[in-house]
Amino acid sequence: MYKIAVFGYGYTGKAAVEAVEAAGDMELCGIVMRSQSVSKPQVSVPVADDIGKLDVKPDAAILCTPTRVMPELAEICLAQGINTVDSFDIHADIWDYYSRLDMIAKKHGSVAVVAAGIDPGCDSVVRALFEAVAPVGKTFTNFGPGMSMGHTVVVKAVEGVKNALSLTIPLGTSLHRRLVYIELLDGYDFNEVVAKIKADPYSANDETHVYLAQDVDSLIDVGHAFNVTRKGVSGKAHNQLLDFTMKVNNPALTGQVMIACARASFKQPTGAYTMIELPVIDMLEGNKEDIIRRMV
Amino acid sequence: MYKIAVFGYGYTGKAAVEAVEAAGDMELCGIVMRSQSVSKPQVSVPVADDIGKLDVKPDAAILCTPTRVMPELAEICLAQGINTVDSFDIHADIWDYYSRLDMIAKKHGSVAVVAAGIDPGCDSVVRALFEAVAPVGKTFTNFGPGMSMGHTVVVKAVEGVKNALSLTIPLGTSLHRRLVYIELLDGYDFNEVVAKIKADPYSANDETHVYLAQDVDSLIDVGHAFNVTRKGVSGKAHNQLLDFTMKVNNPALTGQVMIACARASFKQPTGAYTMIELPVIDMLEGNKEDIIRRMV
């Protein structure tokens, strides 16, 4: 049984805990939460504010924290020989982050799986597979309709915002509309807050509409949709049409992906990996013969 | 530049040749055809009836022959240290075939990629990914509407059949209807031939309709569709909806998949692999940093 610790207990952390509990080859050995102010997890394992305070050393740490604190936590774990899985989602920074963790992991005999969520993550695997089978052409990735976990966090961090929800609406061909619902803190001007939300680089290029809401929590549904579509050329044959669509509970899928990648991490040589570098078979529970007989 | 030989020059062999010609990191070094009676390929490379008669030894052989002759050809190539890629498609026999090639490849320092087509192949990767991200639930694979290359070959081999086309029509939930169009050789009884076609194990469990056609060739369109769909559970979240659909020129996609897997074969330790054991990144042309920056 692989011993797993989960960092963070927001939507994704809770989902990762549930995915560990549902796995037959893993056991939860603790939850690490930096802030003790958040609601206490209802689990029978230790909850600590530092990985060193858990009863046992985990084999892997699932980092379900905000992206900005992942690098520090990953380095701490990897340096102790603990594998890490994160869903680091700043696409432009992935290569540098990956390269740094690769060096640290190799030095300490551990494995880091980075950018392992839905996108980057599952969608990356599909994009790579699509390009492999139809090398010429254009891939589009479309999100929604559904709640953007990432943009919701960004909006919540804007000064004056008390609570927020950001919905992503797909306009096709990788273009999106964002519908943002906010509650304001007392003393803040709606229009000024809207301007700050629209100026954030996360969404500055998207059509963004901001609405004042009475009760943001009453709007929250963590379902989301993801679509990767490609029209391309295989050899000399044009008009190869490829389409991948998921309509899912977003944090539940993300947590499950991270657990699958933790499993795969134990089967790789030391270093850092993105999901497109992992054989998919390594993400599955069970033995090789059974999997190949059933799946291939 | 990887040197590639293609075995067979039917629909898939021709497509594999075109995929090699379109690749920037490969060159075609010959076509191996057992029967010299088939129309001669219009290519500038040697065409031989034995791999030993080519001017140069290839790095990999793409086996685009009927499935039943693949094992013998694969063993000959692997024993000479030549990697092989095949689209061996008898699902129930894959494990035994794979195990035998694994032993031979390891003995001779070569790599065999087996069952690398659309299904088994791409669909296998998708089925594995779907189960990894939603481990509880049921996956359905649906084919068509389109031409079944495999069943067409089976029908053509029935005594009395002069020419044939088999179309697969999806009925949903992994159930299919087969529409078979045949021309008869002189002196054969239609109903007797139909009975033999319906009795073949390949399609005995499917609803099969056989029609007499004036000109089978005028009906042939090698487009086909493939759908893998799963409704499952991630952690504790039910109703995770996953869907993958391709509508493609079937032999062109198959040929391209085989070329992508040939590329991946050069990056693996010796032995046999199914597609779910190959990191998808290894199927792509280009260097790792560019691919990760672009794709993840």
Side-chain angles (χ1 to χ4, degrees):
Chain A
M1 296 287 275
Y2 301 120
K3 294 188 291 295
I4 308 291
V6 173
F7 278 66
Y9 201 71
Y11 284 115
T12 307
K14 191 163 186 292
V17 165
E18 291 172 353
V20 172
E21 288 172 343
D25 56 352
M26 297 182 176
E27 59 190 13
L28 190 69
C29 68
I31 294 172
V32 181
M33 296 166 64
R34 288 235 151 167
S35 159
Q36 293 299 312
S37 64
V38 193
S39 65
K40 191 109 176 166
Q42 301 298 310
V43 289
S44 56
V45 296
V47 178
D49 61 359
D50 186 288
I51 196 161
K53 294 181 185 169
L54 299 179
D55 299 339
V56 294
K57 180 181 162 186
D59 301 309
I62 314 298
L63 308 182
C64 303
T65 64
T67 286
R68 68 181 183 282
V69 298
M70 280 175 190
E72 182 196 342
L73 296 175
E75 292 185 20
I76 291 170
C77 293
L78 293 170
Q80 295 179 44
I82 298 166
N83 290 0
T84 61
V85 180
D86 67 58
S87 52
F88 186 92
D89 67 353
I90 307 170
H91 288 260
D93 295 346
I94 288 172
W95 176 258
D96 291 339
Y97 174 53
Y98 164 91
S99 302
R100 195 167 66 252
L101 292 197
D102 187 55
M103 199 180 60
I104 296 168
K106 281 177 176 155
K107 185 173 167 191
H108 298 282
S110 44
V111 169
V113 184
V114 307
I118 297 180
D119 199 321
C122 294
D123 282 357
S124 314
V125 173
V126 172
R127 282 191 289 266
L129 183 66
F130 280 5
E131 188 169 309
V133 305
V136 171
K138 180 78 188 134
T139 298
F140 295 108
T141 304
N142 302 300
F143 301 98
M147 176 179 174
S148 167
M149 312 301 281
H151 194 228
T152 294
V153 168
V154 166
V155 175
K156 278 184 179 173
V158 171
E159 193 187 341
V161 173
K162 185 178 166 193
N163 199 1
L165 164 66
S166 176
L167 298 184
T168 306
I169 310 298
L171 303 179
T173 60
S174 304
L175 297 171
H176 299 89
R177 177 186 301 143
R178 293 180 184 276
L179 304 182
V180 179
Y181 301 87
I182 58 169
E183 291 170 41
L184 278 185
L185 288 170
D186 288 344
Y188 283 88
D189 178 73
F190 178 68
N191 290 326
E192 285 174 16
V193 171
V194 169
K196 278 186 207 157
I197 290 170
K198 290 190 178 181
D200 190 280
Y202 193 105
S203 60
N205 294 320
D206 301 323
E207 174 193 329
T208 303
H209 304 267
V210 185
Y211 303 94
L212 203 56
Q214 292 298 321
D215 179 7
V216 163
D217 285 343
S218 74
L219 304 176
I220 289 177
D221 162 15
V222 296
H224 207 354
F226 304 87
N227 170 250
V228 179
T229 186
R230 182 174 181 86
K231 184 164 70 65
V233 184
S234 310
K236 288 186 177 169
H238 291 242
N239 203 35
Q240 303 287 68
L241 304 175
L242 314 172
D243 188 275
F244 166 77
T245 300
M246 297 199 293
K247 295 178 181 180
V248 294
N249 176 313
N250 184 358
L253 200 94
T254 302
Q256 187 71 61
V257 167
M258 296 177 84
I259 295 312
C261 288
R263 181 178 292 120
S265 77
F266 301 119
K267 299 166 189 165
Q268 312 308 315
T270 61
Y273 297 81
T274 58
M275 274 181 78
I276 64 174
E277 295 164 86
L278 297 173
V280 183
I281 195 173
D282 292 345
M283 301 178 196
L284 294 169
E285 194 176 333
N287 81 64
K288 185 165 127 175
E289 179 175 347
D290 288 344
I291 294 171
I292 288 180
R293 282 187 183 278
R294 193 159 50 80
M295 204 72 71
V296 178
Chain B
M1 297 288 274
Y2 301 120
K3 294 188 291 295
I4 309 292
V6 173
F7 278 66
Y9 200 70
Y11 284 116
T12 307
K14 191 163 186 292
V17 166
E18 291 173 352
V20 172
E21 288 172 343
D25 56 352
M26 295 182 177
E27 58 190 14
L28 189 69
C29 69
I31 295 172
V32 181
M33 296 166 65
R34 288 235 151 168
S35 160
Q36 291 300 310
S37 64
V38 192
S39 66
K40 190 108 177 167
Q42 300 299 309
V43 289
S44 57
V45 296
V47 178
D49 61 359
D50 185 288
I51 196 161
K53 295 182 184 168
L54 298 180
D55 298 341
V56 296
K57 181 181 163 185
D59 300 310
I62 314 298
L63 308 181
C64 302
T65 65
T67 286
R68 69 181 182 282
V69 298
M70 281 174 190
E72 182 196 342
L73 296 175
E75 292 186 20
I76 290 170
C77 293
L78 293 170
Q80 296 179 43
I82 298 166
N83 290 0
T84 61
V85 180
D86 67 58
S87 53
F88 185 93
D89 66 352
I90 308 168
H91 289 260
D93 295 346
I94 289 172
W95 176 258
D96 291 338
Y97 174 54
Y98 164 91
S99 303
R100 195 168 65 253
L101 292 197
D102 187 55
M103 198 180 61
I104 296 167
K106 281 177 176 152
K107 186 172 167 191
H108 298 282
S110 44
V111 169
V113 184
V114 307
I118 297 181
D119 198 321
C122 294
D123 282 359
S124 314
V125 173
V126 172
R127 281 191 289 266
L129 183 66
F130 280 6
E131 187 168 310
V133 305
V136 171
K138 180 78 187 134
T139 297
F140 295 108
T141 303
N142 302 302
F143 300 98
M147 176 178 174
S148 166
M149 310 303 280
H151 193 228
T152 294
V153 167
V154 165
V155 174
K156 277 184 180 174
V158 171
E159 194 188 338
V161 173
K162 184 179 166 194
N163 198 1
L165 164 67
S166 177
L167 298 183
T168 307
I169 311 298
L171 302 179
T173 60
S174 304
L175 298 171
H176 299 90
R177 176 186 300 141
R178 293 180 185 276
L179 303 183
V180 179
Y181 301 87
I182 58 169
E183 292 170 42
L184 279 185
L185 288 171
D186 289 344
Y188 283 88
D189 178 73
F190 179 68
N191 290 325
E192 285 175 17
V193 172
V194 169
K196 277 186 207 156
I197 290 169
K198 290 189 178 180
D200 191 280
Y202 193 105
S203 59
N205 294 320
D206 300 323
E207 174 194 329
T208 303
H209 305 267
V210 185
Y211 303 95
L212 202 58
Q214 290 299 320
D215 179 8
V216 163
D217 284 342
S218 74
L219 304 175
I220 290 178
D221 161 16
V222 296
H224 208 354
F226 304 88
N227 169 250
V228 179
T229 185
R230 182 174 180 86
K231 185 164 70 63
V233 184
S234 311
K236 287 184 179 169
H238 291 241
N239 203 34
Q240 303 287 67
L241 304 174
L242 313 173
D243 188 273
F244 166 76
T245 300
M246 297 201 292
K247 296 178 181 178
V248 294
N249 176 314
N250 183 357
L253 201 94
T254 303
Q256 187 71 63
V257 167
M258 296 177 85
I259 295 311
C261 288
R263 181 178 291 119
S265 77
F266 301 120
K267 299 165 189 166
Q268 312 308 315
T270 61
Y273 297 81
T274 59
M275 274 181 78
I276 65 173
E277 295 164 87
L278 297 173
V280 183
I281 194 173
D282 291 346
M283 300 178 197
L284 294 169
E285 196 178 332
N287 82 63
K288 185 165 128 175
E289 179 175 347
D290 287 345
I291 294 170
I292 289 180
R293 282 188 184 277
R294 192 160 50 81
M295 204 74 70
V296 179

